[in-house]
């Protein structure tokens, strides 16, 4: 009896030690490459061309960032990214909350039909080309609103909010209605303030999606003035790849300059998300659970 | 008979309209959403008809002439399409084989960690890559794999290679790059749901098992895994139904003229045929075919897993 317990303890300790070290290796595999990108972005072109550093740069320099910020179009793209994310998130959350609130009332006429339409949109879509033709015929090509209008609505988010609204006690609504408030008033003054946690979660997912989205630009935008940071970065990447393939063994100067610019742009593009990360982290676990419950 | 049935019907419509009017405020919240769905979802579904038409830029959706299944017939003899199918399946099966299991193992390992702070640290780090866009990660991969980049430096320092080489230009390695970079990005994120499910397992099970002399691995095998069966099957069904749709963002950023033959997937092929070459009908036909096969896969996977789960359907 006694021996068994001791043996199990030893097994358990070996398990723990192995577990801790394997997970440590796992975090190293994630952190080291990211760190390498950051320090490389602060390296001079010469150090980048030589390579040979992993944890610490040999020549600290701000030249990459200087080059990026001298380009006026980066500021323009940053502005587009920020505004499309901000406007997109606010309108998306409000629109989905509005529809979700309406559908959360079981007595609403036509509810069965509305829900059936919504469920169909979750499983079927026209795909890339028919959607492109629609966007084109709506005149949204090369318009800032193509970032906002098609992204207004998501039935998934409507379902999440609908379930959240149902958990608010009916008595709150009833007493407000007795005092003469209409549905809009109840929704705006009572339900929206009470649902801040749910809406913040959806805002966070949607915001990360808006910030990271580049397919919308790739498909519908050709006007460079409307490029967000992601598209700008994509252009720099494609450009540098064709360049480095063209001068295999050729001019190393051009290659390292574009590489530096690329690295600095990567860091600038990601910085807002990393800066928001502590705030985001609070929401995404509860968000994943809310998303899972509806399954 | 007829008149008897029609009367209540007419009355019902009247009642409906009256109710609808009385509910105008709440209806005014829902109707915009319905209009949105009709415009942005159902019109494109109707637009799928161009797969059976010969659509050119001068046509409208309705004026284009019908060609029946011609587009689908061309697909079957299109070599580039089949290349894309092979690549899509190759990458998807690698992602399924490795990428599906890693989050499960990772979640169990994190769950078994007894040091609270360390646990939090591992979780925080593991979620981080999910928040990088594919464009950002693609840019990073290109830097890491460049001849003076991190990957080659590591291999050189370890003495595994003598000459740096850019593996992104090597078509033979593309499937692995696509698979492993996807796992690097999403494995940690994939643990969240599993961890949430595990946190709901009754701890007395583990205590009872401990008294019976079960070691840690035995506990994982007999308690943790059976408790996750449903969520694992659900994930598996969704993964299988997505076999034909590999990541377009990833492909667009990592594909180059050197690795194209192994990097082109169905989605990027649809993009190329439709958006860059303007062959809308053909590209739509490819997309439609893929959607139909995906639905068949979804239904089949659901059937198979429900058989395995004692005839209880997961979906």
């Amino acid at each position: 009896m006694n021996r068994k317990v001791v043996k199990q303890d030893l097994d358990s300790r070996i398990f723990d030690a192995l577990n801790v070290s394997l997970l440590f290796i796992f975090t190293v595999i994630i952190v080291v490459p990211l760190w390498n990108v950051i320090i490389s972005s602060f390296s001079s072109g010469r150090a980048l061309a030589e390579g040979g550093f992993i944890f610490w740069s040999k020549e600290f320099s701000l030249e990459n960032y200087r080059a990026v910020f001298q380009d006026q179009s980066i500021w323009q793209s940053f502005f587009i990214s920020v505004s499309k994310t901000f406007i997109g998130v606010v309108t998306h959350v409000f629109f989905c909350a509005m529809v979700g609130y309406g559908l959360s009332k079981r007595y609403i006429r036509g509810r069965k039909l509305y829900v059936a339409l919504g469920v169909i949109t979750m499983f079927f879509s026209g795909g890339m080309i028919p959607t492109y033709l629609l966007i084109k015929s709506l005149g949204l090509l090369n318009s800032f609103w193509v970032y906002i209008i098609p992204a207004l609505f998501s039935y998934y988010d409507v379902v999440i909010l609908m379930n959240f609204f149902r958990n608010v006690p009916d008595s709150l609504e009833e007493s407000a209605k007795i005092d003469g408030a209409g549905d809009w008033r109840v929704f705006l003054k009572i339900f929206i303030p009470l649902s801040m946690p749910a809406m913040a979660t959806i805002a966070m997912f949607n915001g990360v999606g808006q910030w990271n989205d580049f397919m919308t630009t790739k498909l519908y935008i050709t006007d460079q003035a409307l490029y967000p940071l992601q598209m700008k970065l994509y252009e720099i990447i494609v450009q540098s790849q064709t360049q480095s393939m063209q001068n295999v063994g050729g001019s190393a100067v051009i290659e390292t300059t574009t590489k530096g610019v690329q690295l600095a742009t990567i860091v600038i593009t990601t910085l807002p998300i990393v800066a928001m990360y502590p705030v985001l982290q609070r929401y995404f676990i509860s968000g994943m659970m809310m998303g899972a419950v509806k399954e | 008979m007829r008149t008897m049935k029609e009367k209540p019907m007419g009355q019902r419509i009247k009642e409906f309209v009256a109710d609808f009017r009385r509910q105008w405020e709440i209806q005014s919240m829902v109707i915009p959403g319905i209009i949105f769905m009709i415009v942005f979802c159902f019109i494109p579904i109707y637009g799928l008809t161009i797969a059976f038409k010969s659509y050119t830029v001068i046509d409208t959706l309705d004026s284009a002439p019908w060609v029946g299944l011609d587009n689908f017939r061309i697909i079957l003899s299109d070599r580039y399409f089949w290349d894309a199918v092979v690549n899509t399946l190759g990458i998807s099966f690698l992602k399924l084989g490795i990428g599906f299991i890693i989050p499960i193992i990772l979640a169990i390992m994190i769950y078994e960690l007894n040091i609270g702070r360390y646990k939090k640290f591992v979780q925080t780090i593991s979620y981080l890559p999910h928040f990088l866009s594919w464009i950002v990660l693609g840019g990073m991969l290109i830097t890491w794999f460049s001849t003076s980049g991190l990957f080659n430096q590591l291999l050189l320092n370890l003495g595994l290679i003598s000459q740096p080489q850019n593996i992104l230009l090597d078509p033979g390695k593309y499937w692995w790059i696509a698979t492993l970079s996807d796992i690097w990005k999403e494995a940690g994120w994939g643990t969240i749901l599993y961890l949430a499910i595990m946190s709901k397992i009754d701890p007395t099970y583990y205590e009872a098992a401990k008294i019976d002399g079960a070691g840690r691995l035995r506990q994982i095998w007999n308690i943790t895994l059976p408790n996750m069966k449903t969520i694992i099957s659900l994930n598996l069904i969704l993964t299988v139904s997505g076999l034909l749709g590999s990541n377009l963002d990833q492909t667009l950023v990592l594909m180059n003229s050197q690795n194209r033959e192994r990097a082109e997937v169905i989605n990027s092929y649809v993009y190329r045929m439709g958006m860059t070459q303007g062959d809308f009908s053909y590209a739509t036909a490819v997309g439609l075919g893929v959607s139909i096969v995906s639905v068949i896969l979804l239904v089949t996977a659901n059937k198979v897993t429900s058989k395995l789960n004692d005839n209880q359907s997961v979906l």
Side-chain angles (χ1 to χ4, degrees):
Chain A
M1 178 70 194
N2 213 356
R3 247 169 72 198
K4 205 172 173 185
V5 173
V6 173
K7 186 171 167 283
Q8 195 191 315
D9 255 353
L10 184 66
D11 277 356
S12 197
R13 253 186 249 162
I14 293 172
F15 179 93
D16 278 333
L18 216 76
N19 196 12
V20 168
S21 11
L22 283 176
L23 283 175
F24 180 73
I25 294 171
F26 170 71
T27 51
V28 167
I29 291 174
I30 289 181
V31 171
V32 168
L34 291 177
W35 176 247
N36 183 260
V37 166
I38 296 169
I39 54 139
S40 301
S41 75
F42 287 104
S43 296
S44 69
R46 188 148 34 107
L48 274 176
E50 281 171 21
F53 57 86
I54 291 166
F55 298 108
W56 204 248
S57 154
K58 280 183 291 195
E59 268 180 28
F60 180 83
S61 145
L62 289 173
E63 64 182 86
N64 299 324
Y65 287 90
R66 206 168 292 140
V68 173
F69 287 126
Q70 260 166 13
D71 181 359
Q72 283 302 316
S73 66
I74 278 285
W75 294 99
Q76 172 73 11
S77 295
F78 192 81
F79 175 73
I80 293 283
S81 275
V82 170
S83 37
K84 95 182 176 103
T85 303
F86 182 75
I87 301 172
V89 166
V90 171
T91 53
H92 173 88
V93 173
F94 184 80
F95 196 80
C96 290
M98 182 178 83
V99 180
Y101 180 73
L103 287 180
S104 74
K105 304 295 167 215
R106 289 189 197 281
Y107 56 77
I108 185 172
R109 279 290 185 168
R111 186 164 185 281
K112 265 189 191 155
L113 174 72
Y114 299 156
V115 170
L117 290 178
V119 171
I120 292 173
T121 67
M122 288 166 96
F123 292 100
F124 298 96
S125 76
M128 188 189 293
I129 309 298
T131 309
Y132 173 82
L133 292 176
L134 171 75
I135 298 286
K136 192 177 157 197
S137 63
L138 289 175
L140 285 173
L141 290 188
N142 275 326
S143 147
F144 176 78
W145 298 105
V146 80
Y147 294 127
I148 311 298
I149 296 170
L152 264 181
F153 183 83
S154 141
Y155 193 69
Y156 284 92
D157 291 352
V158 167
V159 170
I160 291 173
L161 285 164
M162 189 169 77
N163 287 331
F164 197 88
F165 290 140
R166 284 228 176 100
N167 292 331
V168 177
D170 287 338
S171 51
L172 269 177
E173 185 189 342
E174 279 157 23
S175 62
K177 283 206 169 151
I178 289 167
D179 291 342
D183 287 314
W184 273 102
R185 225 183 139 79
V186 173
F187 169 63
L188 293 172
K189 296 274 149 123
I190 299 178
F191 278 78
I192 290 220
L194 280 175
S195 315
M196 275 314 188
M199 295 202 300
T201 309
I202 287 167
M204 174 236 126
F205 277 107
N206 193 254
V208 173
Q210 266 284 6
W211 186 267
N212 281 345
D213 170 56
F214 112 112
M215 270 322 286
T216 309
T217 321
K218 182 99 172 119
L219 286 168
Y220 310 125
I221 302 277
T222 46
D223 179 1
Q224 300 224 358
L226 291 169
Y227 277 5
L229 280 176
Q230 303 286 346
M231 188 66 190
K232 197 82 200 154
L233 178 60
Y234 177 77
E235 293 248 293
I236 295 171
I237 290 168
V238 172
Q239 203 183 10
S240 79
Q241 264 208 319
T242 32
Q243 243 168 31
S244 73
M245 266 180 285
Q246 275 161 0
N247 30 287
V248 179
S251 156
V253 182
I254 298 172
E255 196 188 331
T256 49
T257 320
T258 41
K259 194 173 165 187
V261 168
Q262 196 178 318
L263 285 160
T265 317
I266 286 174
V267 173
I268 295 164
T269 308
T270 320
L271 205 62
I273 284 197
V274 177
M276 290 284 288
Y277 195 59
V279 187
L280 300 180
Q281 219 188 346
R282 219 162 13 117
Y283 288 110
F284 59 64
I285 294 178
S286 61
M288 287 288 282
M289 280 314 284
M290 284 205 301
V293 168
K294 66 155 201 286
E295 296 283 2
Chain B
M1 277 295 275
R2 244 187 198 172
T3 45
M4 288 248 306
K5 234 185 174 180
E6 253 168 25
K7 244 191 177 174
M9 189 62 184
Q11 202 161 357
R12 256 196 280 164
I13 291 173
K14 247 185 208 164
E15 267 174 30
F16 184 90
V17 173
D19 272 355
F20 199 89
R21 274 210 186 138
R22 208 171 318 122
Q23 295 178 344
W24 68 269
E25 238 189 308
I26 201 95
Q27 292 286 356
S28 73
M29 295 175 169
V30 177
I31 302 291
I34 306 303
I35 293 171
F36 182 96
M37 286 197 276
I38 290 168
V39 173
F40 284 95
C41 187
F42 290 96
I43 290 180
I45 289 177
Y46 169 70
L48 282 171
T49 50
I50 67 166
F52 305 97
K53 290 181 172 184
S54 158
Y55 182 96
T56 52
V57 200
I58 48 163
D59 286 313
T60 64
L61 207 60
D62 295 306
S63 74
W66 292 92
V67 293
L69 294 173
D70 275 8
N71 289 315
F72 293 90
R73 251 172 243 133
I74 306 170
I75 292 175
L76 296 178
S77 58
D78 178 355
R79 194 172 68 83
Y80 297 104
F81 168 74
W82 289 110
D83 277 354
V85 170
V86 170
N87 291 332
T88 309
L89 288 177
I91 294 164
S92 290
F93 275 111
L94 281 179
K95 280 183 187 170
L96 180 66
I98 314 167
F100 187 76
I101 301 164
I102 285 185
I104 300 174
I105 298 174
L106 204 57
I108 292 173
M109 287 169 71
I110 293 173
Y111 180 62
E112 294 285 336
L113 272 185
N114 302 320
I115 319 158
R117 264 209 196 144
Y118 187 58
K119 192 171 184 165
K120 195 124 201 246
F121 169 76
V122 173
Q123 284 184 280
T124 305
I125 299 292
S126 74
Y127 304 150
L128 191 61
H130 170 80
F131 290 93
L132 308 175
S133 72
W134 265 112
I135 309 310
V136 162
L137 183 53
M140 289 180 174
L141 285 165
I142 289 164
T143 322
W144 295 332
F145 291 140
S146 75
T147 46
S148 59
L150 177 69
F151 183 74
N152 277 302
Q153 292 306 328
L154 277 174
L155 293 186
L156 280 174
N157 287 352
L158 293 170
L160 291 172
I161 50 168
S162 53
Q163 271 298 320
Q165 55 154 330
N166 190 338
I167 62 165
L168 263 174
L169 302 180
D170 179 352
K173 299 203 171 72
Y174 181 81
W175 288 6
W176 288 101
I177 295 172
T179 305
L180 295 176
S181 61
D182 188 67
I183 293 172
W184 185 86
K185 186 172 185 299
E186 303 297 343
W189 186 252
T191 64
I192 294 184
L193 207 54
Y194 294 129
L195 280 166
I197 302 291
M198 281 189 257
S199 69
K200 291 202 177 116
I201 301 175
D202 187 349
T204 53
Y205 287 143
Y206 291 104
E207 278 153 32
K210 243 179 259 169
I211 292 166
D212 289 344
R216 298 278 287 275
L217 288 172
R218 181 113 224 147
Q219 290 172 30
I220 291 169
W221 188 254
N222 285 341
I223 300 170
T224 316
L225 278 174
N227 271 296
M228 299 204 300
K229 215 164 103 183
T230 326
I231 192 79
I232 289 175
S233 338
L234 178 68
N235 255 351
L236 193 64
I237 292 171
L238 294 178
T239 316
V240 167
S241 70
L243 275 183
L244 289 183
S246 56
N247 191 325
L248 181 58
D249 288 29
Q250 182 191 33
T251 313
L252 283 184
V253 70
L254 291 180
M255 183 161 66
N256 53 50
S257 57
Q258 311 275 309
N259 65 18
R260 167 157 270 136
E261 52 177 303
R262 287 276 141 252
E264 184 88 274
V265 290
I266 300 172
N267 281 342
S268 65
Y269 187 62
V270 171
Y271 175 82
R272 205 152 60 85
M273 293 308 285
M275 303 304 297
T276 45
Q277 302 190 13
D279 200 341
F280 286 163
S281 284
Y282 187 74
T284 309
V286 174
L288 180 60
V290 168
S291 310
I292 292 169
V293 177
S294 298
V295 171
I296 296 172
L297 284 174
L298 178 75
V299 175
T300 319
N302 188 35
K303 277 234 169 85
V304 172
T305 42
S306 68
K307 279 247 164 68
L308 297 177
N309 271 336
D310 317 319
N311 279 324
Q312 275 196 317
S313 173
V314 181
L315 274 184

